[in-house]
Amino acid sequence: MTNTTKKTTHSLNDLIGVTRDGREFYEEAAQKVQDPDLKALFTRLAGVKAAIVNELGGAVQAAGGTPEDSGTMAGGMRQMYAKLRAGLGDKEYSYVAELEESEDRLLEAFRETAADNDTPAAARDIVTRLLPEVQACHDVMRDRKLAMKRAA
């Protein structure tokens, strides 16, 4: 495996882990909230995250690597914190707020990878192509959080 292939695989696998965190978090949140609109939103965004993971995984395989098959420790800790927070207060708002934070983390990771001059062109191309979709998911959760905060 060449250094470029290793760097491509590493860069994309980092994003797979963070995106997988988001998918798992959305799936869990969809099971925990009662509001049907939030359930539908969380389920839809989990599907978007799954599609991104699949696309990134395909790029890792095409580069000759093995796609990451788990999330990150930080993502798992954030989910545990969200469960605790939801148990102590407004469950729906708590999940939205924590998922919005998760979207912030994912968006930052994608932006950093796209802007990193050490990221190989093949990895940067796929990240740049997926970035608008990541941004759109972020914006949906940000807007939902702000709307819920104003309504409170």
Side-chain angles (χ1 to χ4, degrees), residues 6-136:
K6 287 179 187 176
K7 178 67 175 166
T8 298
T9 298
H10 178 73
S11 296
L12 296 179
N13 271 335
D14 285 348
L15 294 177
I16 288 172
V18 175
T19 307
R20 189 179 298 280
D21 288 343
R23 188 202 75 214
E24 291 169 359
F25 198 0
Y26 277 112
E27 289 170 348
E28 179 183 323
Q31 298 298 315
K32 302 289 183 180
V33 297
Q34 301 302 313
D35 181 277
D37 290 335
L38 283 180
K39 279 184 180 291
L41 175 63
F42 294 167
T43 299
R44 180 176 68 83
L45 292 178
V48 170
K49 301 297 181 240
I52 291 171
V53 165
N54 287 337
E55 192 157 349
L56 292 171
V60 168
Q61 286 179 323
T66 302
E68 178 64 49
D69 63 355
S70 63
T72 67
M73 184 180 291
M77 290 172 50
R78 181 165 292 286
Q79 282 181 270
M80 288 190 324
Y81 174 72
K83 286 181 201 176
L84 176 65
R85 185 175 168 184
L88 298 174
D90 179 351
K91 184 185 298 188
E92 273 78 11
Y93 180 78
S94 293
Y95 275 110
V96 168
E98 289 302 316
L99 285 162
E100 193 266 340
E101 288 289 327
S102 177
E103 290 291 346
D104 286 345
R105 182 173 166 237
L106 181 61
L107 182 58
E108 180 179 340
F110 266 77
R111 285 179 175 164
E112 285 177 1
T113 301
D116 184 353
N117 290 330
D118 290 334
T119 301
R124 192 172 23 258
D125 288 348
I126 191 167
V127 170
T128 301
R129 188 170 43 74
L130 291 171
L131 191 54
E133 194 167 9
V134 172
Q135 179 74 55

